[in-house]
Structures are given as C-alpha cells and as structure tokens.
Amino acid sequence: MATASAGTAGPHGSLNGWRHWRAWPANVASLWRRSLRFRTILITLALTALAVAIACIWMALAIQNDLFGSRLRQVQGYAQRATTAAQTTLDNAAVQGDGLQIQNLMTAVRTTLAQQASSDIIAAFRIGPPSPNAPQNFTTDPRFESIISDQLRTQVRENGDQQWWQSVALPSIGGTVPGIVVGQQLQVPEVGGYELYLAYDLGDASQTLGFVVGTLWIVGVGLVLLISGIAWFVLRSVTTPIGQAAETSAKLAAGELNVRLPVRGEDELATLGRSFNAMADSIESQIKELADLSLVQQRFVSDVSHELRTPLTTIRLAADMINDQRDEFDPATARAAELLNAQVQRFETLLTDLLEISRYDAGSVQLELEATSLAHLAEDVIASMQQLADQHGTDVRLVAPGGYSPVEMDPRRVRRVVRNLLGNAIEHGEGRPIVVTVDSDQQAVALGVRDYGLGMTPQDVERVFDRFWRADPSRTRTIGGTGLGLSIALGDARLHGGELAVWSELGRGSHFVLTLPRQGTRLTVPSPIPADPGDDSVAAVEALGLTQPIEVARADPARSAADAAQPARGGAK
Ligand code: ADP
C-alpha cells in the first residue's frame, strides 16, 4: 500500500517539561545530546571536581602525616629528655638499702619527670616481684593504666633501654582526644626496673589538621566553581559563534539565501564565517542563475504555446472540415482524416495544459471564487462524463453524505480537477465500478474518487504528480492524456489552500482525495475523507452489484446542519 499527499503540514509542539521533576532525567539527557556547552561544562565540572578531590585528600593525608610525625618526634624528645634526667638522678643517688631513702629518691624522680617531661600524665610500674624496699607504682591519672596496651607494656618490659610509643585516645573533658604514650624503663638502684609511661595530648595537632582540611575543602569547592565559571565564559565565546553559524546555515538550508555570518577578527571563527559567507554567496548566485534560466524556459514554453495557438486553430478548422467530409473519401484517406482530427485534438489539449502550467510557474493564476456545492458539481461532472464511462462499461456512483452546502471555490478549476480524477479512474478502472464520495466537516469539504482498477506501485505513487509522468506507457489510452493532468490538479488544489492526496495499491485500485478548506485559508486538519480506504475490496464492491447504490456509513458530528439535512444519494446514472 502506498499513500502520498501534497498540501499543508501540521505544526510541531514545543517541550516545556522542566516544571515536572519526573521529566528531569529525560530533559538532562536531551540537553546532554543537544548542547555542546552543557556537555563540556558538565565534563569540566566532573573532571575538575575529581582532580581537586584527589589533590585535597592527598594534601590532607600528607599534612596529617607531617603534623603527626613532627609532634611524635617532639614528644619522643621530651620523653627522652625527662627519662634521661630521671635516670641521672637515680644513678647519682646513694641509697644504701634504705627504703625511706629510696622512697624519697622516687619522689625526687617524680618531680624531675614532672618538670622535664612537658606532660601531666605520668605513670611508673614496677617490673619484677614485690620488694619491701621498692617504692610503690604511681600514676597521675587512675584511668591512665587501662589506656596503655599490653603490647606496649611487654615491649617496655622486655627491651629496657629502648623507647616505645603508642597512639591512644586520652580521656578529656567531654570525651577523648588523640594522644601518644611513650614508654621506657627506669632503673632504680637496689630495687630494679620500673616501666615509665608519659602521655602527650595531640589535641592541638588534630585541631590544626581539622582547620587545614576544612580550608582545603573550601578552597577545593571554590576552585571547582571558579574553573567551571571560567570554562563557561571561555566556552561561550566559542560556542556562541558556532551556534550562530548553525542557526544561519539552518536558515540558508530553509531557503533564506540572504543570511550571512558576522565576521570579526582573523581567528579560526572568522575564517569559518568568511568561508560560510563565500559558500552562501556562491549558492545564492547559482540559484539566481538557475531561477533566471528557469524563467527564460518558462517564458519560452509560454511564448511557444501562444505562438502555436494561431496556426493550430487554423489546422484544427481545416482538420474539422476534412473530417466532416470523410464519408466522401476512400477508406484509407477517411482513416487518415480521422487520425488527423484525433491528434489535432490531443495537440490542442496539450497546448492548453502547457499554457496553464506556464501560468502557474509565472505565478499569474487568479482564483475566481464563487459559492459552489461540491456535491452538485460532482454530479454535473459525472453526468458530463457518462458517455466515456459507458464506453468503458464503467458504473460511476456518487455517494455524498455531505458537501451540499456552498463553499467558496473556483468552480471552473475544481470541475477540471474532478474531470481529471474521474477521467483517470475510468481510464485505469478496468471497467469496474467507480465510487465518487463527497463529504464535509466544519473545516473542509472533500471529494474522493475510488477506482478498483490496475492501481499503482509505491514508486509510481511517489511520481504521480510529476509533470509528463505516466505509470506505464504501454497502458492503453483512449482519451490521450498528456501526463500534465494531475500536476495541474495539484496546482489547483494548492491554489485553494487545499490538498490532493492519493492512495494506491497494485491490483486494488486507487483513491484520489481532493480536500478544500471552507474558510479559504490553509488546511490544518485531516480531510473528512481519508485517502486510505481501509479494507474495501473489489470483491466487496462487486458483491454490491452494479445498480445498487453504495452507502458509505459515516457518523460525522462536525458535518454542517445544511449538509446533514440533505439525503445521501447514490447513482449518477
Ligand atoms: P494523464 O494525462 O496521462 O492522465 P495525469 O497527470 O492525469 O496524466 O496522470 C499521470 C499518470 O498517473 C497516468 O498516466 C497514469 O499512469 C497514472 N494514474 C493517474 N490516475 C490513475 C488511476 N486512477 N489509476 C492508475 N493510474 C493512474
């Protein structure tokens, strides 16, 4: 099946879906596809954010390590200094087995530690079995002992001369703070080894780190926004001219040949603009040349047709005269006279069509509008072509559920269109019934000519309105068509603001539908008669019989009151 239509096109709807959040993913996807600027900004934003995030995390980690490392070295230094001072105090003391002296010595050591260690949290635990002379374990904070891990204690106990450390969470007011515990052995004379632990608060370092990380993130986000902003401005300076070029080339493609791109400077965009303008100049001049040539050709066709008219009239008169007297000639001469007459008639038709086409090309066709009933016009045309239909044994029926009320149209031209459509249907209808349908709605009136003859291939349908085109030259012709009929009919339909649509299928026949708007403006709605006739088959039509009128059941609420008042009629015979 193939359908083609020549006429008006419907308007496109615009998309305004940002108000509904559900439509956002689709809108963003469509923006991603359509906008170079949006795509580039989004990619720049994502890549910059990724790079800045990696840089920030790396810097935060590096600063954290450095802060911790330097603080660790510092507290290790403090602890070492304090331990050495305490050990020196212990080593220099002469206690000679006196428990009290040892106890006093330990108190002195505690004071030294408190002064030298730069820490308030100090603890010492005796290594080895309890001894009557040995001073008591001591700690400045009772919670301190539970913080020190067994692992650290074992290390301190087993490697007396080495300093050990461990990260801990130190209890503080309202929670804990990060800290370091440094442990080392202390040798008390005559008593033996003590584990000495000093705790240091890293709260300051952690605060500094928090401040640095916070600053890093603020700077990072600012950097991302700044780079995106810069990318936006830079891109705008590139994409605006590209967008302008795209818009201008679309206008040029749509036929606005005088559009040009503004050219500024010497850069690549200026070169693009200059090349585009040169191309537009060249296209414009070539199209002008072609238009001039076409004008010359139109004038030539028009002039030749006019010039041929006078001699043709004379030839026609002579041919008529000879044809009238053919009974007096011998059979061969009589046949020649008949042929001459037929061909002169064809010549005349061709010349008339050529003149009409050249008038369309020159744009000098004027409609002579008159309120006309399309249904009655169709009836007249069918009656006038009855003889030709009879010659082909074709039954032509009129089914007119609407289209009686008068509509402004040029009756001479519309009659010519209907004659052409009906002539073609009779010519190619294989003697099968032809149904002429007339119907209307509030916006338009339409006339369809349905035949059940040879039909056409989709390729033929594509070309059916082309000038001088005929489907198959071998098809038998009786009314000697010129191949211009349908292109003139299309010109007539368009001149009325209407359309001429065709449906055709090989073996199923054809359906041509002429639709004219009621208001004399352009058609914006579908025709009251669809070109595709659906599944009406030849068999179904033949089953109706030749004398039965075909009722087309239509329920059209839009039909005008005037039309509705008229009875459906069938059979032009
Ligand atoms: P012509 O003067 O040859 O009829 P048209 O422009 O009216 O010129 O038609 C062009 C061609 O379209 C015809 O030659 C014919 O091949 C094809 N055609 C037109 N109407 C029909 C139809 N109803 N069925 C089949 N073919 C058709």
Side-chain angles (χ1 to χ4, degrees):
M1 186 185 70
T3 53
S5 164
T8 52
H12 294 283
S14 68
L15 214 130
N16 185 17
W18 287 105
R19 276 193 226 136
H20 308 287
W21 63 270
R22 273 174 212 279
W24 279 28
N27 288 351
V28 169
S30 114
L31 210 59
W32 173 268
R33 278 195 311 277
R34 287 182 294 115
S35 168
L36 177 68
R37 204 184 295 181
F38 178 75
R39 215 163 43 225
T40 318
I41 289 293
L42 220 62
I43 292 173
T44 311
L45 201 72
L47 291 181
T48 316
L50 187 71
V52 166
I54 290 173
C56 280
I57 290 170
W58 183 80
M59 273 158 75
L61 286 175
I63 291 169
Q64 187 185 22
N65 281 343
D66 190 58
L67 267 177
F68 182 77
S70 60
R71 187 80 175 109
L72 178 65
R73 278 191 299 280
Q74 190 188 33
V75 300
Q76 276 178 325
Y78 290 155
Q80 188 64 56
R81 196 180 59 201
T83 313
T84 310
Q87 191 62 57
T88 312
T89 312
L90 286 170
D91 291 346
N92 293 341
V95 286
Q96 282 146 14
D98 185 346
L100 190 66
Q101 271 188 346
I102 296 174
Q103 195 62 51
N104 288 342
L105 179 63
M106 207 56 179
T107 310
V109 163
R110 252 180 98 165
T111 314
T112 312
L113 283 171
Q115 284 167 355
Q116 300 275 329
S118 307
S119 166
D120 296 337
I121 312 169
I122 304 166
F125 309 111
R126 179 169 156 68
I127 307 168
S131 149
N133 283 346
Q136 295 272 307
N137 291 347
F138 71 84
T139 173
T140 53
D141 188 331
R143 293 169 296 180
F144 188 30
E145 191 175 352
S146 62
I147 291 168
I148 308 162
S149 72
D150 291 342
Q151 192 197 359
L152 180 65
R153 293 198 63 173
T154 313
Q155 283 168 334
V156 172
R157 243 180 268 138
E158 287 175 1
N159 299 288
D161 47 351
Q162 220 180 311
Q163 194 183 49
W164 299 92
W165 66 271
Q166 177 202 347
S167 290
V168 290
L170 290 177
S172 80
I173 312 149
T176 56
V177 287
I180 291 176
V181 173
V182 183
Q184 204 169 350
Q185 268 192 31
L186 209 58
Q187 292 302 326
V188 181
E190 298 184 13
V191 181
Y194 274 75
E195 300 161 38
L196 173 68
Y197 296 103
L198 301 162
Y200 292 91
D201 181 352
L202 292 191
D204 285 357
S206 146
Q207 234 172 22
T208 312
L209 185 70
F211 173 74
V212 169
V213 169
T215 313
L216 271 179
W217 281 120
I218 292 171
V219 169
V221 170
L223 209 63
V224 169
L225 294 180
L226 190 74
I227 291 176
S228 302
I230 293 171
W232 172 266
F233 279 110
V234 171
L235 257 178
R236 211 172 63 151
S237 65
V238 177
T239 52
T240 306
I242 292 179
Q244 224 170 19
E247 210 175 290
T248 312
S249 48
K251 278 187 191 160
L252 188 75
E256 270 186 61
L257 298 177
N258 56 345
V259 289
R260 295 293 180 271
L261 277 177
V263 179
R264 276 185 292 271
E266 300 283 319
D267 58 9
E268 289 85 349
L269 288 170
T271 313
L272 171 75
R274 263 194 294 276
S275 315
F276 179 90
N277 291 348
M279 182 186 76
D281 284 344
S282 145
I283 291 176
E284 193 179 13
S285 73
Q286 280 180 30
I287 287 184
K288 201 171 164 313
E289 246 171 64
L290 286 174
D292 289 348
L293 199 68
S294 158
L295 212 67
V296 170
Q297 279 176 349
Q298 280 170 24
R299 273 206 207 111
F300 178 74
V301 172
S302 170
D303 291 350
V304 167
S305 312
H306 271 293
E307 289 306 318
L308 284 177
R309 266 196 102 81
T310 322
L312 186 65
T313 315
T314 318
I315 295 170
R316 169 118 180 96
L317 285 174
D320 278 351
M321 218 173 73
I322 296 169
N323 195 42
D324 288 348
Q325 292 169 10
R326 69 180 186 277
D327 294 343
E328 295 161 25
F329 303 150
D330 61 279
T333 318
R335 176 79 191 121
E338 231 173 273
L339 277 176
L340 175 71
N341 197 41
Q343 288 309 311
V344 167
Q345 256 182 36
R346 187 148 183 246
F347 196 1
E348 224 176 6
T349 318
L350 181 65
L351 212 57
T352 314
D353 284 356
L354 270 176
L355 268 172
E356 188 66 4
I357 286 269
S358 64
R359 254 182 243 130
Y360 274 116
D361 289 346
S364 61
V365 183
Q366 286 288 321
L367 284 181
E368 284 163 29
L369 295 175
E370 216 175 277
T372 310
S373 156
L374 189 60
H376 292 143
L377 184 143
E379 216 171 17
D380 289 351
V381 174
I382 293 170
S384 73
M385 296 187 77
Q386 199 56 58
Q387 204 186 348
L388 183 71
D390 289 344
Q391 278 170 17
H392 284 76
T394 306
D395 181 33
V396 183
R397 294 102 186 273
L398 174 67
V399 180
Y404 291 92
S405 63
V407 172
E408 286 290 306
M409 64 178 86
D410 186 333
R412 189 182 67 83
R413 287 179 193 282
V414 175
R415 192 168 285 121
R416 182 169 64 188
V417 175
V418 181
R419 280 184 73 84
N420 185 268
L421 297 182
L422 194 55
N424 280 343
I426 294 171
E427 188 80 1
H428 305 288
E430 304 281 281
R432 298 197 185 109
I434 291 168
V435 182
V436 178
T437 318
V438 182
D439 204 351
S440 66
D441 57 25
Q442 274 169 343
Q443 271 82 39
V445 281
L447 176 141
V449 180
R450 172 79 169 108
D451 72 69
Y452 298 88
L454 291 171
M456 285 178 276
T457 62
Q459 292 78 18
D460 291 347
V461 171
E462 289 284 314
R463 302 203 54 198
V464 81
F465 296 108
D466 290 356
R467 289 176 186 179
F468 296 110
W469 181 86
R470 288 155 174 190
D472 181 1
S474 68
R475 285 181 180 182
T476 49
R477 309 281 316 201
T478 48
I479 51 174
T482 58
L484 288 170
L486 283 177
S487 73
I488 293 175
L490 178 63
D492 283 334
R494 281 184 176 161
L495 211 63
H496 282 83
E499 66 172 34
L500 186 56
V502 54
W503 169 94
S504 193
E505 216 179 290
L506 215 54
R508 280 191 65 197
S510 310
H511 191 206
F512 284 84
V513 178
L514 168 75
T515 312
L516 304 175
R518 273 188 191 276
Q519 272 77 36
T521 48
R522 297 228 134 247
L523 266 188
T524 50
V525 286
S527 172
I529 303 174
D532 188 340
D535 57 358
D536 69 335
S537 65
V538 189
V541 171
E542 279 175 348
L544 290 168
L546 289 184
T547 49
Q548 297 285 315
I550 299 171
E551 283 296 337
V552 178
R554 293 179 61 84
D556 189 356
R559 196 186 305 156
S560 72
D563 284 350
Q566 296 281 348
R569 44 170 86 188
K573 285 185 163 185

